[in-house]
Amino acid sequence: MVRETEGGFLISQIKQISGRIFEKIISDSGIDAFNGAQGRILYVLWKKDHIPIIELSRKTGLAKTTLTSMLDRMEASGLITRHFDKSDRRKIIIALTDKSKGLQEEFDRVSKQMNEIYYRGFSDDEIRQFEDSLRRILGNLEEELK
């Protein structure tokens, strides 16, 4: 293995800078129904609605305590609902509201702008290879948490 690497540091920088750019694009687009962090939660729910809070935590990478306070605000603004799982009352299920379902198109437009920034100058093969590498890193990290 290479002795000196910067992958983690670069990923951290990318996360910080892309978060600022994403917030700016949301603001410039006049979207005020959700912020960037809430958009990450909505993104997961748009892919699969009605999921347990534990699964949402795992898919967003947010700690359950952090996620809970964010969900409180999202519920208060009418973006999500919470209900108990009928088969296991200990499980809390998170679901989209009609309001948040109607925001997906706006989010997709903003995400497309971010993708154009991220992958400017990349070929399709480079994008696939890069994302495969990121999935491997994510898998390594998830395995370490077990």
Side-chain angles (χ1 to χ4, degrees):
M1 182 193 283
V2 177
R3 290 179 58 94
E4 193 171 318
T5 63
E6 294 186 332
F9 179 73
L10 293 170
I11 289 170
S12 179
Q13 279 188 302
I14 289 167
K15 181 183 180 301
Q16 293 298 318
I17 294 170
S18 68
R20 289 195 302 267
I21 292 169
F22 191 67
E23 291 290 346
K24 182 179 181 332
I25 291 172
I26 286 175
S27 176
D28 291 350
S29 298
I31 298 171
D32 59 3
F34 60 86
N35 61 34
Q38 291 170 338
R40 182 167 43 167
I41 294 167
L42 291 171
Y43 173 79
V44 170
L45 291 168
W46 285 320
K47 287 185 162 275
K48 184 179 178 196
D49 198 3
H50 293 89
I51 61 175
I53 193 168
I54 298 293
E55 184 177 344
L56 186 59
S57 173
R58 185 179 53 76
K59 288 186 175 197
T60 59
L62 296 168
K64 192 175 173 206
T65 52
T66 302
L67 185 58
T68 300
S69 63
M70 291 177 71
L71 292 174
D72 287 342
R73 289 188 296 279
M74 292 176 74
E75 188 170 35
S77 64
L79 294 172
I80 59 106
T81 60
R82 289 185 258 206
H83 60 272
F84 291 104
D85 187 323
K86 291 178 179 121
S87 62
D88 183 352
R89 300 239 347 123
R90 295 170 297 174
K91 263 191 208 173
I92 298 172
I93 303 298
I94 309 301
L96 294 167
T97 62
D98 289 339
K99 176 182 178 178
S100 61
K101 288 176 186 174
L103 298 170
Q104 185 173 3
E105 193 174 302
E106 289 180 85
F107 182 85
D108 289 346
R109 191 173 51 254
V110 170
S111 291
K112 186 175 185 236
Q113 285 180 268
M114 281 301 296
N115 278 337
E116 288 168 0
I117 294 168
Y118 278 140
Y119 295 122
R120 188 180 303 138
F122 281 71
S123 70
D124 288 349
D125 282 342
E126 288 173 321
I127 293 169
R128 277 191 286 280
Q129 289 172 358
F130 173 68
E131 290 188 354
D132 285 346
S133 295
L134 290 176
R135 283 186 196 91
R136 285 178 57 195
I137 291 169
L138 181 59
N140 291 343
L141 295 170
E142 289 172 339
E143 185 64 31
E144 192 64 27
L145 284 177
K146 292 181 183 179

